[in-house]
Amino acid sequence: RKGTAVITGASSGLGLATAKALAETGKWHVIMACRDFLKASRAAKAAGMDKGSYTIVHLDLASLDSVRQFVKNARQLEMPIDVVVCNAAVYQPTAKEPSYTADGFEMSVGVNHLGHYLLARELLTDLQASDYPSKRLIIVGSITGNTNTLAGNVPPKANLGDLRGLAGGLNGVGSSVMIDGGEFDGAKAYKDSKVCNMLTMQEFHRRYHEETGVTFASLYPGCIATTGLFREHIPLFRLLFPPFQKYITKGYVSEEEAGKRLAQVVSDPSLTKSGVYWSWNKNSASFENQLSEEASDADKAKKLWEISEKLVGLA
Ligand code: NDP
C-alpha cells in the first residue's frame, strides 16, 4: 500500500516541496496540515500535485484546541499515519513586540515548539498503530540553533538558559516571553524554538525508540533563502540574502532540492537510524551531523519535555 505522511506547513516553502516530491513518487499520500485551507489548495494545484495524492486538513499550531481537533479529523480519514513531519514555523526577526498564540504563549516558541510537541505526542499513538515497515517522526531543525556552527554564532545566539521563562508559561504576564527569562527578541525566539525542536526529537528517541520502533529524526536541509520564512524581514535583507547564501556562504539550496532532502528523511530506506540530525554535504549526500552542546544536552531535553508536557496539558 501507499504510505501516508502528515506534513505541517505544507502550503509553502520546504513543506510544499516535500509534499510534491513525495506525491510524485506515487508511493505516498500526503496529509497537508495547514492553517489556510485555500492557500494550501492553490499551492498544491500550482505545484502540479495530482488530486488524489493529497488531503488538506486544517491545523493552526497557534492553538492547542486546533491541534487536538486536527488529530480527531486526521483519524476520521481512516488512513493509517505512517510518517509525521513537523515542518511549519514562524520567524519574526523584526518584531518589536511579542505576539501570542491562542493559549497565550509567545508565538515563535508556541507554534514551532509547543504546538508541534502536542501534535507529535498525540500522533505517536497513530504511528504505533500503523503497520508500515518504517514509521518515522521528523522534526525540522536548523543550523541557526546550533552554536557549534558559524551560522549559529550570528547574534542573537540561541540559549534556553535554565528554562525559567518557559516554566513560567512564556506569557509575559507572570513570566518572561523568552525561554531563558530574558527580554523579547524575535530572532532569538526562533532560534530557541529550533533548539527545542532538536532536543524534543532526541528525547522522543530516548523515551520511545526502543519501545515503538519509530525512527525519530531531525535535519538541516540547507539554507533555503527563497522561502516565505523571511517574509517578515526588511526588504533589503530579502533582496541580498539569497545571493549572499548562493555565492558567499555557499549554503544555498533551492526549495526543490531541500524538499528532496526532507523526502529522503521520510522515505529513504537507508535513513532509518533513529536519533539522528541529518545534513547534506556539497555533493548533496546525507550525513549524520553533530549538534551543539546545548542542542544535545540530555538533561535540558528532559527538563524541556517535562515543562512542555505541563504547558500543553498532557501532565
Ligand atoms: P515558509 O514560511 O515558506 O513555510 C512555513 C510554513 O509554516 C507555511 O506553510 C506556514 O503556513 C506554516 N505555518 C506558520 N504558522 C503556522 C501555524 N500557526 N499553523 C500552521 N502552519 C503554520 O518557511 P520554510 O519552508 O523555510 O520553513 C519550513 C521549515 O524549515 C521550518 O521549520 C524552518 O525552521 C525550517 N528551516 C528553514 C530554513 C530556510 O533557510 N528557509 C533553514 C533551516 C530550517 P502559511 O502558508 O499559511 O503561512
Side-chain angles (χ1 to χ4, degrees):
R1 67 170 171 89
K2 273 190 176 185
T4 304
V6 172
I7 305 179
T8 69
S11 51
S12 76
L14 178 60
L16 178 63
T18 308
K20 180 176 156 70
L22 288 172
E24 274 173 0
T25 63
K27 295 178 184 158
W28 290 89
H29 187 85
V30 181
I31 298 179
M32 299 171 69
C34 299
R35 63 177 166 176
D36 183 337
F37 191 93
L38 201 59
K39 182 177 174 185
S41 128
R42 286 187 179 135
K45 274 196 200 110
M49 287 169 67
D50 186 67
K51 247 189 159 179
S53 67
Y54 62 91
T55 308
I56 302 168
V57 181
H58 183 262
L59 168 67
D60 183 355
L61 289 157
S63 155
L64 298 178
D65 270 345
S66 172
V67 173
R68 287 184 274 261
Q69 191 59 48
F70 170 83
V71 172
K72 277 190 202 144
N73 293 345
R75 284 176 186 157
Q76 275 175 5
L77 296 175
E78 295 193 353
M79 288 180 198
I81 293 178
D82 309 315
V83 173
V84 176
V85 181
C86 298
N87 159 79
V90 283
Y91 176 47
Q92 307 178 313
T94 57
K96 299 261 180 306
E97 297 291 332
S99 51
Y100 298 93
T101 67
D103 307 274
F105 307 127
E106 183 282 317
M107 187 65 80
S108 324
V109 174
V111 168
N112 307 357
H113 168 58
L114 292 167
H116 276 138
Y117 176 80
L118 177 60
L119 181 75
R121 285 285 303 270
E122 293 287 350
L123 293 183
L124 183 61
T125 316
D126 304 75
L127 288 173
Q128 270 182 277
S130 140
D131 62 356
Y132 203 71
S134 182
K135 305 179 275 191
R136 307 182 191 185
L137 171 61
I138 301 155
I139 310 181
V140 178
S142 176
I143 199 170
T144 52
N146 262 325
T147 50
N148 61 343
T149 64
L150 188 64
N153 272 301
V154 177
K157 288 194 216 176
N159 178 12
L160 309 188
D162 62 3
L163 285 83
R164 68 179 63 180
L166 189 69
L170 213 66
N171 52 29
V173 182
S175 77
S176 159
V177 294
M178 298 296 287
I179 295 180
D180 66 358
E183 292 288 310
F184 175 69
D185 181 323
K188 180 174 183 297
Y190 170 79
K191 294 179 187 179
D192 288 350
S193 76
K194 290 281 119 185
V195 174
C196 292
N197 286 156
M198 294 180 280
L199 288 170
T200 302
M201 178 280 287
Q202 295 165 85
E203 190 64 14
F204 262 112
H205 168 71
R206 281 187 285 267
R207 287 178 188 241
Y208 293 109
H209 175 62
E210 261 187 43
E211 180 190 330
T212 64
V214 172
T215 295
F216 300 97
S218 186
L219 69 151
Y220 173 62
C223 183
I224 331 158
T226 51
T227 70
L229 198 65
F230 307 101
R231 61 171 82 76
E232 290 182 37
H233 228 300
I234 55 168
L236 186 65
F237 176 90
R238 280 187 274 129
L239 181 70
L240 296 178
F241 191 52
F244 173 74
Q245 291 294 346
K246 239 180 225 167
Y247 305 113
I248 314 286
T249 69
K250 303 216 163 63
Y252 176 86
V253 61
S254 69
E255 292 181 32
E256 191 189 357
E257 172 61 22
K260 285 187 187 149
R261 291 177 177 182
L262 179 46
Q264 276 174 33
V265 184
V266 170
S267 68
D268 194 302
S270 66
L271 302 192
T272 52
K273 190 169 168 192
S274 184
V276 174
Y277 168 63
W278 296 104
S279 296
W280 284 260
N281 67 22
K282 286 193 185 72
N283 306 320
S284 269
S286 57
F287 67 95
E288 287 181 34
N289 205 349
Q290 292 298 311
L291 287 161
S292 69
E293 205 179 315
E294 180 169 50
S296 50
D297 181 335
D299 292 333
K300 216 168 244 193
K302 180 168 183 282
K303 197 168 167 187
L304 174 70
W305 180 280
E306 288 165 358
I307 297 171
S308 303
E309 178 167 72
K310 283 195 192 118
L311 291 179
V312 303
L314 286 175

